[in-house]
Amino acid sequence: MGSAALADAIKSIRDWSLNEGRAALTSPSSIAELFGSLVFNDRVQEARLPKTAYKVLRATITKGEALDQTTADAVAGALKDWAVEHGATHYTHWFQPLTGITAEKHDSFLWPTPEGKALVEFSGKELIKGEPDASSFPSGGMRSTFEARGYTAWDPTSPPFLHVDGNSVTLVIPTAFVSWTGEALDKKTPLLRSMEALSRQAVRVLKLFGSTSERVTTTCGPEQEYFLIDRNFYFARPDLINAGRTLFGAKPPKGQEMEDQYFGSIPERVLACMADTETELYKIGVPVKTRHNEVAPSQYEIAPVFENANVAADHQLMTMEMLKRIAPKYGLECLLHEKPFAGVNGSGKHNNWSMSDEFGNNLLSPGATPHDNMQFLVFCAAVLRAVDTWQGLLRASIASAGNDHRLGANEAPPAILSIFLGDQLSDIFEQLEKGGAKSTKQGGLLDVGVSSLPKLPRDAGDRNRTSPFAFTGNKFEFRAVSSGQNIGWPNMVLNVAAAEALQSIADELEAAVAKGEELNKAVAKLLTKIAKQHKRIVFNGNGYSKEWEKEAAKRGLLNLKNTVDALPEIIKPAVVKVMEKHKVLNGRELHARYEIYLEAYNKTINVEGQLMVLIANRYILPAALEYQKQIGQSVTAVRSAGATSVQGKKLLAKYTKLVDRLKVQADALDVLLAHSGTAADKHAKYMRDKVVPAMNKLREVGDEIEVLTPHGLWPLPTYREMLFVK
Ligand code: ADP
Ligand code: MG
């Protein structure tokens, strides 16, 4: 069976290379033209909208001003004309429900008339508000039945685009998804609210430094890791199809230990697939920039140029969807799961994050003058305070059954949140902590009394991949984010945490200045205080080491090892308070999220457990019994020929024991999975403490059996095949 999938895979690779597969590679000369060609972007808006409508829309996009009905109608009309000219027949309000990735429902532009004709129509009302029949999307109890239908609301700050697939063209309108009572049922709404919150506080701080900025946006550039494997293998693995990861599979003789994969040359079929994916992404305006091999075999990365965090989050979702959609055209399947294969690295998503004013100044970029650097240090200090104070919530924002396989597993950052600052910045904060504020000298010294910031290299020398949250020259990189998740949730948490820290800083500095204190002195005092209060969060060493775990415990840092431990952070009173204060999520919205994520955890483990029982009983056991019989027959045949097969008998005994154990463990897991009836939080603990260990045990036997079973009898594609035949 395994060999059948292998033969198919080999054929598909050969067919591809004989075919015009290579024709898909785009010539670089055309990409500038392609970029954004399917987007209703600023350029198109300006060309197609009446002047006043264009102005109002711009003000909405750049300043968050309200948009009136007349403008909405004008935008809808222009949008429809543009879409229809490009062959669109339908439009969809595209949204981000609390589970899964994205959702959409398509409606036609056609309106039949009584005379039997049809009009192509699209009103401002239809643009602004949609009503997906969304009663089956999880709401965590936020929608009682009488208000079962949430609605989608147009997000004018993320441009509409065309989804072209085969012969269908659909206008996609990014939207927020809220209940009739105005509560957020999605991941976009809180992200937008959190960006507002951060802007309010950051502007206050900037003002103290003499800036005229009225709006600060968070910027984000997410690096996506993923696997590509031949589709024939994918279809032969029920676990990959239904759980996104392999639940059985012995380690191959060669894994990633040769380190010959990272940045290595990309196989031709894979490269063609990547190029095609990128071309399609260019068309819909996603500025993808970088591609390379990752550490594990058959693992790759794609990264864009950073953008406004809201648009970046939408573009990130579009990237994930595109990777999934294009891969099959090349006979490949894209795996976005955090840990598709045991024993080799899993996939994450490095979330590069910063803040920028409307003049394009990156607030986390060390400046050229002492004055700029003082401001830079204040924003850095805010991040220190934010991450230290809200480490539990940040940890919860990346928690999932899938990410549990990575965090702390010696290949991904630990589950403990800490910040890597690099030598230079750490040194500065150490000086500050010691009260470096006293020596306000000119020349080589900063106003706040710290030896002047040498120009920090944009690419800080030490990449320290073991840190979950690293300063990388002019931005922070939240590395513990998982490959499969919507980045809206961790970015929202980061923004709120930073907003809260910036608020405390603005409060303190404003009060000092009002009392007539010099800004320099007030800043110096504040930085010293923050350095003292929050230095425990700074760690530049090896995050994988056992010593760090001990040291972190001594420092009082949280070590929330798994999803079940992490999720309750979401509903801690302090979290509810800070989220409500910044008007990002209320208690009900937070509780709903807690319940939904808990439920998702329970469902994931349940599906995986059920799949393991199925695979053990219906794939592995029949194959193993067949081989057991063959060994038995061989031993008998040898005996009737007058000899004794010593090794045969030994093998038979060993193999029989394993087969028995497989059956026993599969049955035990099956019994454990039948348990139900407790509250979701209790059930989650049960899943973690009883079911997951039983799954691990079952897998161990299954994998032991695999290495003893003839290749021709083995019913599943092996790791060796899936990871290396490409
Ligand atoms: P590396 O992390 O490998 O050093 P880069 O510095 O090029 O690579 O950045 C990686 C990602 O960080 C890219 O997606 C990039 O666009 C993004 N990035 C760079 N600057 C910022 C910023 N100011 N805000 C958010 N993301 C940024
Ligand atoms: Mg990086």
Side-chain angles (χ1 to χ4, degrees):
M1 277 293 273
S3 346
L6 178 60
D8 289 343
I10 291 168
K11 181 172 182 309
S12 123
I13 296 168
R14 189 189 323 113
D15 287 354
W16 185 83
S17 51
L18 292 177
N19 264 315
E20 67 280 32
R22 293 181 191 83
L25 295 164
T26 38
S27 67
S29 61
S30 62
I31 63 171
E33 233 169 85
L34 281 181
F35 188 79
S37 58
L38 299 178
V39 185
F40 192 70
N41 53 23
D42 186 31
R43 194 171 41 81
V44 184
Q45 290 165 12
E46 187 172 18
R48 289 183 172 252
L49 284 171
K51 261 210 175 70
T52 41
Y54 173 70
K55 263 200 189 141
V56 177
L57 180 60
R58 273 282 103 194
T60 304
I61 294 169
T62 55
K63 300 191 196 133
E65 283 171 16
L67 195 130
D68 58 283
Q69 188 64 46
T70 326
T71 308
D73 279 329
V75 175
L79 186 54
K80 177 209 62 186
D81 290 344
W82 171 80
V84 170
E85 278 167 36
H86 283 78
T89 55
H90 289 67
Y91 69 93
T92 180
H93 275 204
W94 183 64
F95 61 102
Q96 304 167 23
L98 289 171
T99 58
I101 294 300
T102 62
E104 53 193 78
K105 177 189 125 199
H106 297 188
D107 281 302
S108 163
F109 284 120
L110 282 190
W111 282 103
T113 64
E115 310 84 64
K117 290 190 176 160
L119 296 173
V120 176
E121 267 181 352
F122 187 56
S123 68
K125 236 176 75 196
E126 287 166 301
L127 167 65
I128 288 176
K129 189 182 260 185
E131 280 183 60
D133 180 13
S135 45
S136 53
F137 288 103
S139 74
M142 278 186 290
R143 270 176 291 131
S144 43
T145 30
F146 68 87
E147 51 178 18
R149 281 157 52 189
Y151 68 89
T152 50
W154 174 39
D155 168 15
T157 61
S158 183
F161 59 97
L162 296 170
H163 177 131
V164 183
D165 208 356
N167 60 359
S168 81
V169 182
T170 308
L171 170 66
V172 184
I173 302 160
T175 60
F177 181 38
V178 287
S179 78
W180 284 107
T181 49
E183 278 165 338
L185 298 171
D186 68 346
K187 296 194 172 137
K188 180 190 267 280
T189 309
L191 176 61
L192 285 168
R193 291 177 186 160
S194 74
M195 289 171 72
E196 292 288 327
L198 183 134
S199 178
R200 277 192 294 273
Q201 305 307 330
V203 163
R204 284 177 65 200
V205 174
L206 285 179
K207 203 163 166 201
L208 286 160
F209 287 94
S211 163
T212 56
S213 168
E214 288 172 19
R215 203 171 170 80
V216 167
T217 46
T218 43
T219 52
C220 174
E223 305 164 50
Q224 172 81 49
E225 291 176 343
Y226 60 98
F227 281 85
L228 286 174
I229 62 163
D230 192 280
R231 263 200 135 192
N232 293 293
F233 299 136
Y234 173 78
F235 283 129
R237 300 265 335 192
D239 45 4
L240 280 182
I241 294 177
N242 285 321
R245 75 179 181 102
T246 54
L247 299 166
F248 287 98
K251 281 196 194 89
K254 177 178 190 271
Q256 63 188 46
E257 50 282 280
M258 312 286 283
E259 293 172 345
D260 53 356
Q261 154 86 1
Y262 192 58
F263 278 26
S265 73
I266 301 170
E268 194 181 35
R269 181 170 60 146
V270 169
L271 184 59
C273 172
M274 284 176 169
D276 198 0
T277 307
E278 286 162 5
T279 302
E280 292 306 313
L281 285 170
Y282 291 148
K283 289 185 196 162
I284 56 175
V286 181
V288 284
K289 177 92 178 151
T290 310
R291 61 164 97 113
H292 60 78
N293 277 358
E294 260 303 326
V295 175
S298 289
Q299 189 186 30
Y300 310 95
E301 181 182 296
I302 181 169
V305 175
F306 70 93
E307 300 173 280
N308 155 327
N310 173 47
V311 175
D314 283 358
H315 281 170
Q316 217 289 306
L317 291 164
M318 285 147 68
T319 302
M320 289 164 81
E321 288 185 355
M322 199 63 89
L323 282 166
K324 280 265 173 210
R325 195 146 63 81
I326 300 296
K329 295 187 181 164
Y330 295 84
L332 297 165
E333 183 66 32
C334 173
L335 307 176
L336 294 172
H337 193 281
E338 292 75 18
K339 191 75 178 177
F341 304 99
V344 297
N345 274 12
S347 301
K349 194 140 52 192
H350 291 179
N351 189 87
N352 295 272
W353 175 93
S354 189
M355 298 163 270
S356 164
D357 66 16
E358 66 269 52
F359 316 114
N361 298 309
N362 178 355
L363 306 184
L364 290 174
S365 198
T369 67
H371 179 268
D372 284 347
N373 273 334
M374 193 161 72
Q375 182 189 305
F376 159 72
L377 285 177
V378 167
F379 278 91
C380 257
V383 176
L384 248 56
R385 173 170 279 177
V387 175
D388 186 27
T389 312
W390 304 102
Q391 37 175 304
L393 184 60
L394 280 163
R395 169 64 184 91
S397 76
I398 48 161
S400 68
N403 221 14
D404 280 0
H405 298 287
R406 292 178 64 235
L407 301 183
N410 261 18
E411 51 137 308
I416 307 162
L417 256 285
S418 67
I419 298 184
F420 168 85
L421 278 184
D423 293 343
Q424 287 165 334
L425 258 190
S426 297
D427 182 49
I428 289 162
F429 275 97
E430 269 161 35
Q431 293 183 47
L432 284 166
E433 189 209 334
K434 291 183 194 121
K438 272 167 277 152
S439 53
T440 316
K441 293 186 205 139
Q442 66 311 47
L445 293 183
L446 243 183
D447 283 9
V448 289
V450 181
S451 317
S452 105
L453 271 186
K455 271 229 167 63
L456 290 170
R458 210 182 98 59
D459 212 336
D462 182 0
R463 311 300 311 275
N464 195 334
R465 295 193 139 251
T466 70
S467 174
F469 205 96
F471 182 71
T472 45
N474 60 355
K475 65 195 185 273
F476 281 91
E477 190 167 331
F478 191 7
R479 299 216 180 104
V481 177
S482 88
S483 57
Q485 83 175 111
N486 182 330
I487 58 168
W489 174 221
N491 277 291
M492 178 275 283
V493 169
L494 252 178
N495 293 345
V496 174
E500 174 67 9
L502 287 167
Q503 182 173 43
S504 68
I505 288 170
D507 285 350
E508 189 168 332
L509 292 180
E510 281 171 2
V513 171
K515 272 193 298 188
E517 208 175 315
E518 251 179 68
L519 181 67
N520 275 358
K521 297 233 169 73
V523 168
K525 239 197 283 174
L526 174 95
L527 289 176
T528 299
K529 187 162 99 189
I530 292 183
K532 278 191 178 139
Q533 274 176 351
H534 301 291
K535 67 170 175 192
R536 66 171 187 169
I537 198 73
V538 177
F539 177 63
N540 294 323
N542 177 6
Y544 295 171
S545 67
K546 274 278 158 246
E547 296 80 67
W548 168 231
E549 251 187 73
K550 275 190 223 137
E551 164 71 15
K554 243 195 271 162
R555 294 189 190 184
L557 297 178
L558 289 172
N559 186 359
L560 303 167
K561 293 199 164 125
N562 50 64
T563 302
V564 184
D565 285 345
L567 287 181
E569 294 291 322
I570 300 172
I571 49 169
K572 287 245 165 94
V575 168
V576 176
K577 200 166 143 206
V578 75
M579 287 282 179
E580 291 196 337
K581 178 170 139 196
H582 292 283
K583 300 190 170 58
V584 174
L585 287 170
N586 65 31
R588 248 161 70 88
E589 290 171 315
L590 283 163
H591 272 88
R593 277 155 183 79
Y594 169 65
E595 276 169 40
I596 288 167
Y597 299 146
L598 209 53
E599 197 62 35
Y601 175 84
N602 289 341
K603 283 184 182 159
T604 303
I605 305 292
N606 184 52
V607 166
E608 291 185 351
Q610 305 274 5
L611 274 167
M612 287 195 78
V613 174
L614 179 149
I615 293 171
N617 283 334
R618 298 176 58 191
Y619 285 69
I620 300 179
L621 193 63
L625 288 174
E626 174 58 29
Y627 183 47
Q628 190 182 32
K629 189 177 83 190
Q630 288 181 11
I631 314 170
Q633 284 169 344
S634 148
V635 170
T636 315
V638 172
R639 192 170 42 224
S640 56
T644 305
S645 168
V646 179
Q647 295 307 323
K649 279 166 80 175
K650 254 197 201 160
L651 177 62
L652 183 61
K654 180 177 176 183
Y655 200 78
T656 303
K657 226 172 165 178
L658 284 173
V659 175
D660 284 353
R661 247 175 67 206
L662 180 84
K663 186 65 187 138
V664 169
Q665 307 287 17
D667 289 348
L669 178 56
D670 202 19
V671 169
L672 284 171
L673 287 167
H675 168 101
S676 70
T678 48
D681 55 342
K682 277 219 189 82
H683 194 57
K685 286 193 179 126
Y686 172 86
M687 288 304 216
R688 178 195 60 190
D689 299 335
K690 297 275 189 279
V691 174
V692 170
M695 285 167 56
N696 293 340
K697 266 190 179 165
L698 177 57
R699 175 175 188 146
E700 224 173 86
V701 204
D703 293 357
E704 269 186 72
I705 294 178
E706 179 186 331
V707 295
L708 293 176
T709 307
H711 181 66
L713 286 180
W714 195 248
L716 298 163
T718 63
Y719 270 36
R720 195 168 41 83
E721 293 165 338
M722 290 186 284
L723 292 171
F724 293 98
V725 177
K726 50 194 170 191

